[in-house]
Amino acid sequence: QVQLVESGGGLVQAGGSLRLSCAASGRTFTNYAMSWFRQAPGKEREFVAAINWSGPIILYADSVKGRFTISVDNAKNTLYLQMNSLKPEDTAVYYCAAAPRVGTYYLQTGRYEYNYWGQGTQVTVSS
């Protein structure tokens, strides 16, 4: 059974940084797409970033490009999201997601393309 557990959320001032972690277990993720989504109150869950676990494909939403970095640590079976230059509009619950890859050159970015989800971690950015 795949299990994803996020951590690292919290309250930070605008311009600050946070690093989210997602501990993955239950299988080998070599051929998996891993991603971060977020959901603000009253809004749809939206794509933030995705990575092919075995590299090197990485995708970002335009709203976070240049500020957020997604990465994996194979030894620790952990997915990360380094968030810098945070803005109040980044405030949301952040979710880790996983799904088997569906193509060599395609990396899923749609919420309905992911099978497994973590419970979420709250990120609040104050102005």
Side-chain angles (χ1 to χ4, degrees):
Q1 182 74 14
V2 172
Q3 188 173 17
L4 304 173
V5 180
E6 302 99 332
S7 61
L11 174 63
V12 64
Q13 288 189 331
S17 298
L18 281 174
R19 188 178 79 158
L20 305 184
S21 300
C22 172
S25 62
R27 64 161 302 122
T28 301
F29 292 93
T30 304
N31 293 316
Y32 267 62
M34 305 294 296
S35 69
W36 289 97
F37 286 75
R38 66 187 182 186
Q39 188 166 16
K43 294 189 176 182
E44 294 287 319
R45 190 171 298 188
E46 65 174 5
F47 169 76
V48 174
I51 187 169
N52 171 17
W53 187 278
S54 56
I57 303 175
I58 293 176
L59 297 173
Y60 294 100
D62 288 343
S63 58
V64 307
K65 205 171 291 184
R67 299 188 298 124
F68 290 10
T69 302
I70 189 172
S71 62
V72 296
D73 184 327
N74 287 303
K76 296 182 178 180
N77 243 30
T78 300
L79 174 73
Y80 298 102
L81 185 69
Q82 177 66 43
M83 305 185 295
N84 299 329
S85 302
L86 282 162
K87 305 175 181 180
E89 52 263 45
D90 294 318
T91 295
V93 177
Y94 283 71
Y95 297 91
C96 169
R101 292 287 307 280
V102 296
T104 304
Y105 302 107
Y106 178 77
L107 190 59
Q108 297 97 305
T109 61
R111 61 176 292 190
Y112 297 108
E113 297 181 288
Y114 283 86
N115 311 78
Y116 305 104
W117 294 85
Q119 81 289 351
T121 185
Q122 176 70 47
V123 172
T124 303
V125 184
S126 63
S127 56

